[in-house]
Amino acid sequence: SGIPDGEFQRRWESVSKELEDQDLSGMVFFSASSICYLTGSPLMQTERPIALVYKIGGEKTLLVPRLEYEHAQATVNKCKISCYPEYPGERHPMFYLADVISQMNLNTKRLAADGMGYPGVFGYRGPSLSEVLSDCQITLLPTLIERLKVHKSQFEIDMLRESAKWANYALALLQSYTKPGLREIEVS
C-alpha cells in the first residue's frame, strides 16, 4: 500500500485505546473501507463476507472467502488469514466467523462490531453476529474508524499535500489543453 508499518501501528493503537476505554476485548470489522484503513489491503466487498477480527493485544485474523485467500495473503501483513469454502455452501460464512472469534477466545467476551453483520452487498443475506455468538455481548461502534480518520497523522497530512500538488498540476495541464469545441477524448 505504500503506507509505512508505523502508520498502521498508530491506527491499531487508536483502536485499542477506544476499545479499552469502553471495557471491550476486541472488535469485528465488516466495512471494506475500515479493513483497508487498518490493513492497507483493498479487498473487494461482494456477496461473499469478509471480516477482520481484532483482539486487544494485537492478535488479528482476516476471514475471507477461498476465492480471496491468496490475494489476502499477498496484501495483508501482520494478520492471520483464514478462509471459508465457497459461498453459498453447506455452512454459512458467519458460522466460520464465529469459529474464528472462538479460536481467539472472544466468544464470551464484550466485543465491538462496526455492524451487526455483513452488509447486504450484491444480495447477501445472512445471520447477525448475535445469532452466531449467543454468549457474546456485542456493542456497535459503526463510526469508530470514521472518527479516527478525522484526526490526521503527519504521514496523512504529507500525503494530502502531495495529492493536492499533483491534482493542481493535472488541472493546470487540463486548462492549457482544453479549448472550446474539443471532446474529452481529444483533451486526454
Side-chain angles (χ1 to χ4, degrees), residues 78-111:
K78 299 181 181 171
C79 184
K80 179 181 175 188
I81 310 297
S82 183
C83 71
Y84 57 87
E86 195 52 44
Y87 170 74
E90 293 180 21
R91 188 172 187 233
H92 196 280
M94 288 295 287
F95 291 100
Y96 289 97
L97 177 60
D99 292 345
V100 167
I101 292 168
S102 294
Q103 289 163 6
M104 294 174 73
N105 295 315
L106 290 169
N107 57 317
T108 59
K109 308 286 186 196
R110 296 188 68 231
L111 193 61

PDB file of all heavy atoms in Angstrom, residues 78-111:
ATOM      1  N   LYS A  78       1.053  -8.874   8.865  1.00  0.00           N
ATOM      2  CA  LYS A  78       0.894  -8.969  10.319  1.00  0.00           C
ATOM      3  C   LYS A  78      -0.542  -9.286  10.733  1.00  0.00           C
ATOM      4  O   LYS A  78      -1.100  -8.694  11.648  1.00  0.00           O
ATOM      5  CB  LYS A  78       1.377  -7.675  10.976  1.00  0.00           C
ATOM      6  CG  LYS A  78       2.838  -7.421  10.684  1.00  0.00           C
ATOM      7  CD  LYS A  78       3.335  -6.171  11.336  1.00  0.00           C
ATOM      8  CE  LYS A  78       4.799  -5.996  10.969  1.00  0.00           C
ATOM      9  NZ  LYS A  78       5.347  -4.761  11.355  1.00  0.00           N
ATOM     10  N   CYS A  79      -1.126 -10.239  10.008  1.00  0.00           N
ATOM     11  CA  CYS A  79      -2.502 -10.634  10.280  1.00  0.00           C
ATOM     12  C   CYS A  79      -2.663 -12.082   9.827  1.00  0.00           C
ATOM     13  O   CYS A  79      -2.219 -12.451   8.733  1.00  0.00           O
ATOM     14  CB  CYS A  79      -3.449  -9.717   9.493  1.00  0.00           C
ATOM     15  SG  CYS A  79      -5.191 -10.000   9.801  1.00  0.00           S
ATOM     16  N   LYS A  80      -3.272 -12.901  10.667  1.00  0.00           N
ATOM     17  CA  LYS A  80      -3.568 -14.275  10.267  1.00  0.00           C
ATOM     18  C   LYS A  80      -4.697 -14.227   9.235  1.00  0.00           C
ATOM     19  O   LYS A  80      -5.644 -13.455   9.374  1.00  0.00           O
ATOM     20  CB  LYS A  80      -4.000 -15.090  11.486  1.00  0.00           C
ATOM     21  CG  LYS A  80      -4.355 -16.520  11.164  1.00  0.00           C
ATOM     22  CD  LYS A  80      -4.803 -17.270  12.406  1.00  0.00           C
ATOM     23  CE  LYS A  80      -5.267 -18.659  12.018  1.00  0.00           C
ATOM     24  NZ  LYS A  80      -5.883 -19.346  13.144  1.00  0.00           N
ATOM     25  N   ILE A  81      -4.587 -15.051   8.202  1.00  0.00           N
ATOM     26  CA  ILE A  81      -5.623 -15.122   7.174  1.00  0.00           C
ATOM     27  C   ILE A  81      -6.321 -16.467   7.300  1.00  0.00           C
ATOM     28  O   ILE A  81      -5.680 -17.514   7.327  1.00  0.00           O
ATOM     29  CB  ILE A  81      -5.039 -14.983   5.749  1.00  0.00           C
ATOM     30  CG1 ILE A  81      -4.122 -13.764   5.630  1.00  0.00           C
ATOM     31  CG2 ILE A  81      -6.164 -14.944   4.709  1.00  0.00           C
ATOM     32  CD1 ILE A  81      -4.779 -12.432   5.848  1.00  0.00           C
ATOM     33  N   SER A  82      -7.631 -16.420   7.396  1.00  0.00           N
ATOM     34  CA  SER A  82      -8.437 -17.624   7.474  1.00  0.00           C
ATOM     35  C   SER A  82      -9.454 -17.563   6.339  1.00  0.00           C
ATOM     36  O   SER A  82      -9.874 -16.483   5.945  1.00  0.00           O
ATOM     37  CB  SER A  82      -9.140 -17.678   8.837  1.00  0.00           C
ATOM     38  OG  SER A  82      -9.876 -18.863   8.973  1.00  0.00           O
ATOM     39  N   CYS A  83      -9.836 -18.715   5.815  1.00  0.00           N
ATOM     40  CA  CYS A  83     -10.816 -18.690   4.725  1.00  0.00           C
ATOM     41  C   CYS A  83     -11.898 -19.734   4.962  1.00  0.00           C
ATOM     42  O   CYS A  83     -11.741 -20.654   5.758  1.00  0.00           O
ATOM     43  CB  CYS A  83     -10.142 -18.901   3.374  1.00  0.00           C
ATOM     44  SG  CYS A  83      -9.517 -20.559   3.068  1.00  0.00           S
ATOM     45  N   TYR A  84     -12.980 -19.537   4.255  1.00  0.00           N
ATOM     46  CA  TYR A  84     -14.083 -20.490   4.294  1.00  0.00           C
ATOM     47  C   TYR A  84     -14.334 -20.976   2.864  1.00  0.00           C
ATOM     48  O   TYR A  84     -13.966 -20.299   1.900  1.00  0.00           O
ATOM     49  CB  TYR A  84     -15.349 -19.869   4.907  1.00  0.00           C
ATOM     50  CG  TYR A  84     -15.850 -18.631   4.209  1.00  0.00           C
ATOM     51  CD1 TYR A  84     -16.716 -18.712   3.116  1.00  0.00           C
ATOM     52  CD2 TYR A  84     -15.463 -17.366   4.640  1.00  0.00           C
ATOM     53  CE1 TYR A  84     -17.171 -17.575   2.480  1.00  0.00           C
ATOM     54  CE2 TYR A  84     -15.918 -16.227   4.011  1.00  0.00           C
ATOM     55  CZ  TYR A  84     -16.781 -16.335   2.929  1.00  0.00           C
ATOM     56  OH  TYR A  84     -17.234 -15.203   2.303  1.00  0.00           O
ATOM     57  N   PRO A  85     -14.964 -22.168   2.709  1.00  0.00           N
ATOM     58  CA  PRO A  85     -15.248 -22.692   1.370  1.00  0.00           C
ATOM     59  C   PRO A  85     -16.192 -21.752   0.614  1.00  0.00           C
ATOM     60  O   PRO A  85     -16.795 -20.857   1.199  1.00  0.00           O
ATOM     61  CB  PRO A  85     -15.924 -24.033   1.632  1.00  0.00           C
ATOM     62  CG  PRO A  85     -15.652 -24.355   3.045  1.00  0.00           C
ATOM     63  CD  PRO A  85     -15.402 -23.064   3.759  1.00  0.00           C
ATOM     64  N   GLU A  86     -16.316 -21.982  -0.636  1.00  0.00           N
ATOM     65  CA  GLU A  86     -17.138 -21.123  -1.483  1.00  0.00           C
ATOM     66  C   GLU A  86     -18.545 -20.941  -0.917  1.00  0.00           C
ATOM     67  O   GLU A  86     -19.114 -21.846  -0.304  1.00  0.00           O
ATOM     68  CB  GLU A  86     -17.207 -21.711  -2.892  1.00  0.00           C
ATOM     69  CG  GLU A  86     -17.714 -20.762  -3.941  1.00  0.00           C
ATOM     70  CD  GLU A  86     -16.980 -19.426  -3.961  1.00  0.00           C
ATOM     71  OE1 GLU A  86     -15.745 -19.408  -3.868  1.00  0.00           O
ATOM     72  OE2 GLU A  86     -17.652 -18.393  -4.064  1.00  0.00           O
ATOM     73  N   TYR A  87     -19.084 -19.753  -1.094  1.00  0.00           N
ATOM     74  CA  TYR A  87     -20.419 -19.397  -0.609  1.00  0.00           C
ATOM     75  C   TYR A  87     -21.296 -19.098  -1.807  1.00  0.00           C
ATOM     76  O   TYR A  87     -20.837 -18.448  -2.743  1.00  0.00           O
ATOM     77  CB  TYR A  87     -20.304 -18.166   0.295  1.00  0.00           C
ATOM     78  CG  TYR A  87     -21.627 -17.540   0.669  1.00  0.00           C
ATOM     79  CD1 TYR A  87     -22.457 -18.147   1.585  1.00  0.00           C
ATOM     80  CD2 TYR A  87     -22.051 -16.358   0.079  1.00  0.00           C
ATOM     81  CE1 TYR A  87     -23.672 -17.587   1.927  1.00  0.00           C
ATOM     82  CE2 TYR A  87     -23.254 -15.787   0.414  1.00  0.00           C
ATOM     83  CZ  TYR A  87     -24.067 -16.406   1.334  1.00  0.00           C
ATOM     84  OH  TYR A  87     -25.265 -15.853   1.667  1.00  0.00           O
ATOM     85  N   PRO A  88     -22.544 -19.521  -1.854  1.00  0.00           N
ATOM     86  CA  PRO A  88     -23.204 -20.279  -0.790  1.00  0.00           C
ATOM     87  C   PRO A  88     -22.742 -21.728  -0.761  1.00  0.00           C
ATOM     88  O   PRO A  88     -22.435 -22.310  -1.790  1.00  0.00           O
ATOM     89  CB  PRO A  88     -24.686 -20.187  -1.144  1.00  0.00           C
ATOM     90  CG  PRO A  88     -24.740 -19.857  -2.592  1.00  0.00           C
ATOM     91  CD  PRO A  88     -23.462 -19.175  -2.941  1.00  0.00           C
ATOM     92  N   GLY A  89     -22.709 -22.242   0.427  1.00  0.00           N
ATOM     93  CA  GLY A  89     -22.254 -23.615   0.620  1.00  0.00           C
ATOM     94  C   GLY A  89     -23.119 -24.297   1.656  1.00  0.00           C
ATOM     95  O   GLY A  89     -24.203 -23.842   1.998  1.00  0.00           O
ATOM     96  N   GLU A  90     -22.610 -25.393   2.189  1.00  0.00           N
ATOM     97  CA  GLU A  90     -23.373 -26.143   3.182  1.00  0.00           C
ATOM     98  C   GLU A  90     -23.453 -25.410   4.516  1.00  0.00           C
ATOM     99  O   GLU A  90     -24.416 -25.568   5.257  1.00  0.00           O
ATOM    100  CB  GLU A  90     -22.750 -27.524   3.384  1.00  0.00           C
ATOM    101  CG  GLU A  90     -22.874 -28.412   2.164  1.00  0.00           C
ATOM    102  CD  GLU A  90     -22.257 -29.777   2.369  1.00  0.00           C
ATOM    103  OE1 GLU A  90     -22.088 -30.211   3.529  1.00  0.00           O
ATOM    104  OE2 GLU A  90     -21.932 -30.414   1.348  1.00  0.00           O
ATOM    105  N   ARG A  91     -22.439 -24.610   4.814  1.00  0.00           N
ATOM    106  CA  ARG A  91     -22.382 -23.885   6.087  1.00  0.00           C
ATOM    107  C   ARG A  91     -22.214 -22.401   5.779  1.00  0.00           C
ATOM    108  O   ARG A  91     -21.379 -22.024   4.965  1.00  0.00           O
ATOM    109  CB  ARG A  91     -21.198 -24.395   6.905  1.00  0.00           C
ATOM    110  CG  ARG A  91     -21.136 -23.869   8.304  1.00  0.00           C
ATOM    111  CD  ARG A  91     -20.036 -24.607   9.077  1.00  0.00           C
ATOM    112  NE  ARG A  91     -20.065 -24.227  10.473  1.00  0.00           N
ATOM    113  CZ  ARG A  91     -19.012 -23.774  11.134  1.00  0.00           C
ATOM    114  NH1 ARG A  91     -17.835 -23.676  10.545  1.00  0.00           N
ATOM    115  NH2 ARG A  91     -19.122 -23.441  12.397  1.00  0.00           N
ATOM    116  N   HIS A  92     -22.981 -21.575   6.442  1.00  0.00           N
ATOM    117  CA  HIS A  92     -22.923 -20.133   6.184  1.00  0.00           C
ATOM    118  C   HIS A  92     -21.606 -19.544   6.704  1.00  0.00           C
ATOM    119  O   HIS A  92     -21.122 -19.935   7.773  1.00  0.00           O
ATOM    120  CB  HIS A  92     -24.110 -19.421   6.848  1.00  0.00           C
ATOM    121  CG  HIS A  92     -24.315 -18.055   6.319  1.00  0.00           C
ATOM    122  ND1 HIS A  92     -23.552 -16.988   6.731  1.00  0.00           N
ATOM    123  CD2 HIS A  92     -25.158 -17.581   5.374  1.00  0.00           C
ATOM    124  CE1 HIS A  92     -23.928 -15.905   6.078  1.00  0.00           C
ATOM    125  NE2 HIS A  92     -24.898 -16.240   5.247  1.00  0.00           N
ATOM    126  N   PRO A  93     -21.012 -18.589   5.966  1.00  0.00           N
ATOM    127  CA  PRO A  93     -19.742 -17.976   6.379  1.00  0.00           C
ATOM    128  C   PRO A  93     -19.776 -17.323   7.762  1.00  0.00           C
ATOM    129  O   PRO A  93     -18.742 -17.270   8.429  1.00  0.00           O
ATOM    130  CB  PRO A  93     -19.493 -16.918   5.300  1.00  0.00           C
ATOM    131  CG  PRO A  93     -20.215 -17.405   4.109  1.00  0.00           C
ATOM    132  CD  PRO A  93     -21.426 -18.125   4.635  1.00  0.00           C
ATOM    133  N   MET A  94     -20.918 -16.858   8.206  1.00  0.00           N
ATOM    134  CA  MET A  94     -20.982 -16.240   9.538  1.00  0.00           C
ATOM    135  C   MET A  94     -20.656 -17.252  10.629  1.00  0.00           C
ATOM    136  O   MET A  94     -20.159 -16.878  11.690  1.00  0.00           O
ATOM    137  CB  MET A  94     -22.344 -15.595   9.778  1.00  0.00           C
ATOM    138  CG  MET A  94     -22.574 -14.317   8.978  1.00  0.00           C
ATOM    139  SD  MET A  94     -21.456 -12.966   9.440  1.00  0.00           S
ATOM    140  CE  MET A  94     -22.143 -12.488  11.022  1.00  0.00           C
ATOM    141  N   PHE A  95     -20.898 -18.531  10.379  1.00  0.00           N
ATOM    142  CA  PHE A  95     -20.538 -19.550  11.362  1.00  0.00           C
ATOM    143  C   PHE A  95     -19.024 -19.793  11.361  1.00  0.00           C
ATOM    144  O   PHE A  95     -18.444 -20.106  12.395  1.00  0.00           O
ATOM    145  CB  PHE A  95     -21.330 -20.839  11.126  1.00  0.00           C
ATOM    146  CG  PHE A  95     -22.795 -20.664  11.442  1.00  0.00           C
ATOM    147  CD1 PHE A  95     -23.715 -20.447  10.424  1.00  0.00           C
ATOM    148  CD2 PHE A  95     -23.240 -20.652  12.759  1.00  0.00           C
ATOM    149  CE1 PHE A  95     -25.054 -20.256  10.715  1.00  0.00           C
ATOM    150  CE2 PHE A  95     -24.581 -20.457  13.052  1.00  0.00           C
ATOM    151  CZ  PHE A  95     -25.498 -20.263  12.026  1.00  0.00           C
ATOM    152  N   TYR A  96     -18.384 -19.631  10.208  1.00  0.00           N
ATOM    153  CA  TYR A  96     -16.919 -19.678  10.163  1.00  0.00           C
ATOM    154  C   TYR A  96     -16.339 -18.482  10.923  1.00  0.00           C
ATOM    155  O   TYR A  96     -15.326 -18.598  11.597  1.00  0.00           O
ATOM    156  CB  TYR A  96     -16.405 -19.695   8.718  1.00  0.00           C
ATOM    157  CG  TYR A  96     -16.672 -21.000   8.014  1.00  0.00           C
ATOM    158  CD1 TYR A  96     -17.771 -21.146   7.178  1.00  0.00           C
ATOM    159  CD2 TYR A  96     -15.820 -22.092   8.195  1.00  0.00           C
ATOM    160  CE1 TYR A  96     -18.022 -22.353   6.527  1.00  0.00           C
ATOM    161  CE2 TYR A  96     -16.067 -23.295   7.555  1.00  0.00           C
ATOM    162  CZ  TYR A  96     -17.177 -23.418   6.726  1.00  0.00           C
ATOM    163  OH  TYR A  96     -17.414 -24.615   6.096  1.00  0.00           O
ATOM    164  N   LEU A  97     -17.015 -17.331  10.807  1.00  0.00           N
ATOM    165  CA  LEU A  97     -16.588 -16.157  11.573  1.00  0.00           C
ATOM    166  C   LEU A  97     -16.714 -16.434  13.070  1.00  0.00           C
ATOM    167  O   LEU A  97     -15.817 -16.092  13.844  1.00  0.00           O
ATOM    168  CB  LEU A  97     -17.400 -14.925  11.177  1.00  0.00           C
ATOM    169  CG  LEU A  97     -17.100 -13.648  11.964  1.00  0.00           C
ATOM    170  CD1 LEU A  97     -15.635 -13.233  11.818  1.00  0.00           C
ATOM    171  CD2 LEU A  97     -18.028 -12.522  11.520  1.00  0.00           C
ATOM    172  N   ALA A  98     -17.797 -17.059  13.468  1.00  0.00           N
ATOM    173  CA  ALA A  98     -17.962 -17.419  14.882  1.00  0.00           C
ATOM    174  C   ALA A  98     -16.836 -18.340  15.340  1.00  0.00           C
ATOM    175  O   ALA A  98     -16.339 -18.207  16.464  1.00  0.00           O
ATOM    176  CB  ALA A  98     -19.329 -18.074  15.104  1.00  0.00           C
ATOM    177  N   ASP A  99     -16.411 -19.261  14.475  1.00  0.00           N
ATOM    178  CA  ASP A  99     -15.279 -20.145  14.799  1.00  0.00           C
ATOM    179  C   ASP A  99     -14.007 -19.332  15.028  1.00  0.00           C
ATOM    180  O   ASP A  99     -13.261 -19.586  15.981  1.00  0.00           O
ATOM    181  CB  ASP A  99     -15.032 -21.150  13.675  1.00  0.00           C
ATOM    182  CG  ASP A  99     -16.139 -22.169  13.516  1.00  0.00           C
ATOM    183  OD1 ASP A  99     -16.980 -22.310  14.433  1.00  0.00           O
ATOM    184  OD2 ASP A  99     -16.163 -22.820  12.446  1.00  0.00           O
ATOM    185  N   VAL A 100     -13.740 -18.359  14.145  1.00  0.00           N
ATOM    186  CA  VAL A 100     -12.547 -17.515  14.277  1.00  0.00           C
ATOM    187  C   VAL A 100     -12.589 -16.767  15.607  1.00  0.00           C
ATOM    188  O   VAL A 100     -11.599 -16.717  16.347  1.00  0.00           O
ATOM    189  CB  VAL A 100     -12.437 -16.518  13.096  1.00  0.00           C
ATOM    190  CG1 VAL A 100     -11.411 -15.433  13.377  1.00  0.00           C
ATOM    191  CG2 VAL A 100     -12.099 -17.258  11.811  1.00  0.00           C
ATOM    192  N   ILE A 101     -13.741 -16.206  15.920  1.00  0.00           N
ATOM    193  CA  ILE A 101     -13.906 -15.447  17.164  1.00  0.00           C
ATOM    194  C   ILE A 101     -13.697 -16.364  18.373  1.00  0.00           C
ATOM    195  O   ILE A 101     -13.048 -15.981  19.350  1.00  0.00           O
ATOM    196  CB  ILE A 101     -15.276 -14.744  17.184  1.00  0.00           C
ATOM    197  CG1 ILE A 101     -15.279 -13.642  16.116  1.00  0.00           C
ATOM    198  CG2 ILE A 101     -15.604 -14.187  18.557  1.00  0.00           C
ATOM    199  CD1 ILE A 101     -16.653 -13.063  15.814  1.00  0.00           C
ATOM    200  N   SER A 102     -14.193 -17.585  18.304  1.00  0.00           N
ATOM    201  CA  SER A 102     -13.989 -18.560  19.390  1.00  0.00           C
ATOM    202  C   SER A 102     -12.519 -18.946  19.526  1.00  0.00           C
ATOM    203  O   SER A 102     -11.995 -19.038  20.640  1.00  0.00           O
ATOM    204  CB  SER A 102     -14.826 -19.818  19.137  1.00  0.00           C
ATOM    205  OG  SER A 102     -16.198 -19.527  19.215  1.00  0.00           O
ATOM    206  N   GLN A 103     -11.843 -19.168  18.387  1.00  0.00           N
ATOM    207  CA  GLN A 103     -10.416 -19.520  18.415  1.00  0.00           C
ATOM    208  C   GLN A 103      -9.581 -18.405  19.042  1.00  0.00           C
ATOM    209  O   GLN A 103      -8.525 -18.670  19.613  1.00  0.00           O
ATOM    210  CB  GLN A 103      -9.922 -19.824  17.006  1.00  0.00           C
ATOM    211  CG  GLN A 103     -10.466 -21.122  16.448  1.00  0.00           C
ATOM    212  CD  GLN A 103     -10.316 -21.227  14.933  1.00  0.00           C
ATOM    213  OE1 GLN A 103      -9.701 -20.384  14.285  1.00  0.00           O
ATOM    214  NE2 GLN A 103     -10.891 -22.271  14.368  1.00  0.00           N
ATOM    215  N   MET A 104     -10.071 -17.175  18.942  1.00  0.00           N
ATOM    216  CA  MET A 104      -9.360 -16.033  19.535  1.00  0.00           C
ATOM    217  C   MET A 104      -9.814 -15.784  20.975  1.00  0.00           C
ATOM    218  O   MET A 104      -9.454 -14.790  21.586  1.00  0.00           O
ATOM    219  CB  MET A 104      -9.585 -14.789  18.670  1.00  0.00           C
ATOM    220  CG  MET A 104      -8.962 -14.901  17.283  1.00  0.00           C
ATOM    221  SD  MET A 104      -9.372 -13.521  16.182  1.00  0.00           S
ATOM    222  CE  MET A 104      -8.358 -12.214  16.894  1.00  0.00           C
ATOM    223  N   ASN A 105     -10.635 -16.691  21.514  1.00  0.00           N
ATOM    224  CA  ASN A 105     -11.169 -16.602  22.880  1.00  0.00           C
ATOM    225  C   ASN A 105     -11.938 -15.304  23.120  1.00  0.00           C
ATOM    226  O   ASN A 105     -11.859 -14.711  24.195  1.00  0.00           O
ATOM    227  CB  ASN A 105     -10.051 -16.766  23.917  1.00  0.00           C
ATOM    228  CG  ASN A 105      -9.442 -18.144  23.855  1.00  0.00           C
ATOM    229  OD1 ASN A 105     -10.150 -19.144  23.784  1.00  0.00           O
ATOM    230  ND2 ASN A 105      -8.124 -18.202  23.840  1.00  0.00           N
ATOM    231  N   LEU A 106     -12.699 -14.884  22.121  1.00  0.00           N
ATOM    232  CA  LEU A 106     -13.522 -13.678  22.252  1.00  0.00           C
ATOM    233  C   LEU A 106     -15.018 -14.000  22.297  1.00  0.00           C
ATOM    234  O   LEU A 106     -15.839 -13.104  22.467  1.00  0.00           O
ATOM    235  CB  LEU A 106     -13.254 -12.726  21.069  1.00  0.00           C
ATOM    236  CG  LEU A 106     -11.888 -12.052  21.035  1.00  0.00           C
ATOM    237  CD1 LEU A 106     -11.670 -11.360  19.699  1.00  0.00           C
ATOM    238  CD2 LEU A 106     -11.765 -11.064  22.182  1.00  0.00           C
ATOM    239  N   ASN A 107     -15.371 -15.263  22.164  1.00  0.00           N
ATOM    240  CA  ASN A 107     -16.771 -15.653  22.039  1.00  0.00           C
ATOM    241  C   ASN A 107     -17.606 -15.451  23.300  1.00  0.00           C
ATOM    242  O   ASN A 107     -18.831 -15.458  23.226  1.00  0.00           O
ATOM    243  CB  ASN A 107     -16.891 -17.099  21.562  1.00  0.00           C
ATOM    244  CG  ASN A 107     -16.174 -18.079  22.460  1.00  0.00           C
ATOM    245  OD1 ASN A 107     -15.053 -17.824  22.890  1.00  0.00           O
ATOM    246  ND2 ASN A 107     -16.814 -19.198  22.746  1.00  0.00           N
ATOM    247  N   THR A 108     -16.983 -15.257  24.442  1.00  0.00           N
ATOM    248  CA  THR A 108     -17.748 -14.995  25.674  1.00  0.00           C
ATOM    249  C   THR A 108     -17.389 -13.634  26.266  1.00  0.00           C
ATOM    250  O   THR A 108     -17.709 -13.353  27.411  1.00  0.00           O
ATOM    251  CB  THR A 108     -17.486 -16.101  26.728  1.00  0.00           C
ATOM    252  OG1 THR A 108     -16.084 -16.129  27.014  1.00  0.00           O
ATOM    253  CG2 THR A 108     -17.960 -17.455  26.235  1.00  0.00           C
ATOM    254  N   LYS A 109     -16.740 -12.818  25.490  1.00  0.00           N
ATOM    255  CA  LYS A 109     -16.276 -11.505  25.956  1.00  0.00           C
ATOM    256  C   LYS A 109     -17.196 -10.400  25.474  1.00  0.00           C
ATOM    257  O   LYS A 109     -18.114 -10.621  24.692  1.00  0.00           O
ATOM    258  CB  LYS A 109     -14.852 -11.232  25.432  1.00  0.00           C
ATOM    259  CG  LYS A 109     -13.847 -12.314  25.699  1.00  0.00           C
ATOM    260  CD  LYS A 109     -13.434 -12.336  27.131  1.00  0.00           C
ATOM    261  CE  LYS A 109     -12.309 -13.358  27.304  1.00  0.00           C
ATOM    262  NZ  LYS A 109     -12.038 -13.745  28.605  1.00  0.00           N
ATOM    263  N   ARG A 110     -16.904  -9.186  25.942  1.00  0.00           N
ATOM    264  CA  ARG A 110     -17.573  -7.991  25.417  1.00  0.00           C
ATOM    265  C   ARG A 110     -16.842  -7.594  24.148  1.00  0.00           C
ATOM    266  O   ARG A 110     -15.651  -7.318  24.173  1.00  0.00           O
ATOM    267  CB  ARG A 110     -17.538  -6.863  26.446  1.00  0.00           C
ATOM    268  CG  ARG A 110     -18.337  -7.227  27.703  1.00  0.00           C
ATOM    269  CD  ARG A 110     -18.474  -6.061  28.655  1.00  0.00           C
ATOM    270  NE  ARG A 110     -19.329  -5.051  28.032  1.00  0.00           N
ATOM    271  CZ  ARG A 110     -19.009  -3.758  27.928  1.00  0.00           C
ATOM    272  NH1 ARG A 110     -17.879  -3.300  28.422  1.00  0.00           N
ATOM    273  NH2 ARG A 110     -19.819  -2.909  27.345  1.00  0.00           N
ATOM    274  N   LEU A 111     -17.557  -7.604  23.047  1.00  0.00           N
ATOM    275  CA  LEU A 111     -16.971  -7.421  21.732  1.00  0.00           C
ATOM    276  C   LEU A 111     -17.664  -6.263  21.019  1.00  0.00           C
ATOM    277  O   LEU A 111     -18.872  -6.092  21.137  1.00  0.00           O
ATOM    278  CB  LEU A 111     -17.164  -8.721  20.939  1.00  0.00           C
ATOM    279  CG  LEU A 111     -16.423  -8.948  19.646  1.00  0.00           C
ATOM    280  CD1 LEU A 111     -14.913  -8.937  19.874  1.00  0.00           C
ATOM    281  CD2 LEU A 111     -16.839 -10.279  19.049  1.00  0.00           C
TER     282      LEU A 111
END
